[in-house]
Structure formats: structure tokens, C-alpha cells
Amino acid sequence: MKRLIAGLMAAALMAAGCGGGPSSGSGSDTVKVGLITKTETNPFFVKMKEGASAAAKAQGAELMSAAGKFDGDNASQITAIENMVAAGVKGILITPSDTKAIVPAVKKARDAGVLVIALDTPTEPQEATDALFATDNFKAGELIGQYAKAAMAGKPAKIATLDLAPGITVGKLRHDGFLKGFGVAEGDPSIVCSQDTQGDQSKGQTAMENCLQKAPDINLVYTINEPAALGAHTALKAKGIDKDVLVVSVDGGCTGTRAVQSGQIAATSQQYPLKMAESGVKAVTDFAKTGKKATGYTDTGVTLITDKPVAGVDAKDTAFGLANCWG
């Protein structure tokens, strides 16, 4: 009886394609790649998903995708990791919403033999994933800080920083990069207001309104991304001071780049989600073919975009930006 049961179990495993060899016509030999983004609505992640889908198709792989319900939704990302591991993905590409809280789930996936690559946002610690494909977010902030310093041309700065949220590495890296590029330290008296926006346009507007109540003479605004920058511009325009305040940002989406072109934003640092996604998918399919894992950090590039260049800071104009934007 025991032999009969064992034989039936072995047959069932072979029929399910779990015996280790290719299964003719079953599709079980197709490499599965998981993509988990912070949200499905942010144009940055929409473009990332499009890039991953196209890359998977080109590589003959199958893409499984999931996203948080909102920026910061760690629970949904954990569930997505668990579901993808159970579905037999070879690798998972993830933009972590909570860079610390996601680490135990990432470890479980890696322990199960799944390659895990962070896109855009590193985990804490960065080594919690096998590899990271991302913009150098510190450099992105540093570029717009350098630009702002030169553009202010010696005028005393009254700075508002419209940040992301506590505990998210991408926000801290951009913020710290901006301060270094501008040449000030955290707590400097020139920083007259700091507010979190979660990268949201309406929250960016509210944050700017709050800052203007606190310090009506603000003349320089750093924003975590272009939605926050456009929210800030709305608040500044309502006060009739939008022409008097320099706004700088990060992302390089098409909407943001057009805002640079129209003068709502002075400059932005453009990043490239398509390249992150394409590189991530290729790394997973290469791992499936060769067993070699991607490791370490791969810089996917950043470019300062402005139509009002300043001496000493490399930049491209909005024609370049629009040719390479997303969203």
C-alpha cells in the first residue's frame, strides 16, 4: 500500500512539472519574474511595470505583478512576496515601501532560493536584497542642491524642504544630497521649514501653505518629487509669489519635465524607471539560465533637467528631458 501511495505521489509531481526537468507543453519551464511596486497609480511605477512587462516578453518570461494600496503599504508587499514565492517565481523585483519592515519577508524569499532585487529604493540594510538597481538618489539631490546654490547667486536663502516620510531611504538620500549640494547642514538656520508630503500633490500644497504661514519669506523650495513640487507651486501662486521662489525637484516624469519647461519648476533630476525594470528582468532570467546571481549596486543614471542652466553644473534641456521622460 505504501509503495502504491508513493508511486501515485511521484506520478502527480511529474504531471505537475515539479520533477526538475522541462515539461512538454505545460509551460512550467517558463521563467516567472515577480514585480512588486509601491503603488499602481504613480506614473513612475506604471512605467516601471510597462518596462518589466516588455522585457519579460522579450526574454520569453512570465511577469507576475503586485503593488501596495498606497505608498507605505508594507502589509500588501509582504503578502505579494509570499504569493509569488508560492507561485514559483525565480526572482522578485521590489520597490520597498517600508525599507526596514520588508526585510524579514525578503529574507524568507531568499532562503527559499528566490533572487530578490530592489529597484529604485534600497532596503535597510541594502544587503538585505541580492542586488539594487536604482538611481543614485543622493546624487539626484546633490545635483539640484548645486543648481539651487548657483541659481540663488549669493542671495540669502530661506529654504523649505518638502520631504517624503520618516524611515524611507529614498527620501532621506534625496534630502541629504540636496543639503550637501547646497552646502548646508541639517539644522542650519537657513532651513526655515520642513514638512512631509508622502510625494503627493495635494499634501505638497498643504505642506507649502503651512510653511508659508510659518515663514512667509521663503525663497527656495526643495521637493521630494514633482507632484509635491506642483502642489507647492499651487500654494505659491495663490499667494502671488510663485515668480519669486525657486522650486527644485527630483524624478523627471513627463508631467514634471513639462513643468520645468513652463517655469513652474526651475530644475529636476531625471531618473529612468524603464532601465531599472529592464535590467532587473534580465538579471532574473540570466539567473534562471546560469545560476549566477546579480549582486551589489547598479547605478541606472540621473540627469539634471533645466532650461535655465547655471555655470558649473552639468545639465540637459527639457527637449532631452521630454525625449527620455516617463508617465
Side-chain angles (χ1 to χ4, degrees), residues 12 18 44 56 73 132 157 168 171 192 203 252-253 265 291 293:
C18 297
F44 184 86
D73 181 8
L132 168 67
I168 301 179
V192 295
K203 289 182 174 64
I265 302 172
K293 292 185 174 182

Side-chain angles (χ1 to χ4, degrees), residues 31-56:
V31 176
K32 292 181 180 178
V33 182
L35 173 69
I36 305 169
T37 54
K38 293 179 183 179
T39 70
E40 290 183 330
T41 54
N42 186 315
F44 184 86
F45 301 122
V46 171
K47 183 56 67 173
M48 184 178 281
K49 183 178 176 180
E50 288 175 4
S53 180

Side-chain angles (χ1 to χ4, degrees), residues 6 9 67 78 102 135 192 308 319:
M9 288 178 67
I78 289 173
I102 199 66
T135 307
V192 295
K308 297 177 181 178

Side-chain angles (χ1 to χ4, degrees), residues 143-153 246 266-267 304-316:
L143 280 172
I144 58 169
Q146 291 170 346
Y147 175 87
K149 183 70 172 180
M152 292 294 286
L246 188 76
L304 185 74
I305 303 296
T306 184
D307 284 335
K308 297 177 181 178
V310 295
V313 185
D314 290 338
K316 299 284 189 182

Side-chain angles (χ1 to χ4, degrees), residues 233-256:
H233 179 266
T234 299
L236 293 167
K237 189 173 183 179
K239 291 286 188 181
I241 58 173
D242 52 301
K243 304 297 184 186
D244 305 319
V245 180
L246 188 76
V247 179
V248 293
S249 195
V250 178
D251 263 356
C254 295
T255 299

Side-chain angles (χ1 to χ4, degrees), residues 140-302:
E142 190 174 19
L143 280 172
I144 58 169
Q146 291 170 346
Y147 175 87
K149 183 70 172 180
M152 292 294 286
K155 184 179 178 180
K158 299 290 185 180
I159 305 169
T161 70
L162 303 192
D163 298 304
L164 187 56
I168 301 179
T169 52
V170 64
K172 179 170 173 52
L173 286 167
R174 292 181 186 184
H175 175 97
D176 291 351
F178 168 79
L179 295 186
K180 183 183 178 186
F182 197 81
V184 295
E186 194 70 65
D188 190 278
S190 65
I191 305 168
V192 295
C193 186
S194 293
Q195 295 263 308
D196 291 332
T197 68
Q198 296 180 0
D200 178 82
Q201 185 164 339
S202 63
K203 289 182 174 64
Q205 180 178 342
T206 300
M208 190 73 249
E209 290 167 349
N210 292 340
C211 282
L212 288 171
Q213 287 181 357
K214 181 180 179 181
D217 57 347
I218 287 167
N219 57 14
L220 171 59
V221 180
Y222 153 81
T223 67
I224 179 63
N225 65 4
E226 293 145 4
L230 289 170
H233 179 266
T234 299
L236 293 167
K237 189 173 183 179
K239 291 286 188 181
I241 58 173
D242 52 301
K243 304 297 184 186
D244 305 319
V245 180
L246 188 76
V247 179
V248 293
S249 195
V250 178
D251 263 356
C254 295
T255 299
T257 303
R258 284 191 288 268
V260 174
Q261 189 178 50
S262 67
Q264 295 169 294
I265 302 172
T268 193
S269 287
Q270 185 171 67
Q271 53 179 343
Y272 305 103
L274 271 176
K275 186 172 182 181
M276 296 177 200
E278 290 166 355
S279 300
V281 170
K282 187 175 187 306
V284 174
T285 55
D286 285 350
F287 170 56
K289 294 172 186 174
T290 68
K292 185 177 180 181
K293 292 185 174 182
T295 59
Y297 167 59
T298 299
D299 185 354
T300 53
V302 61

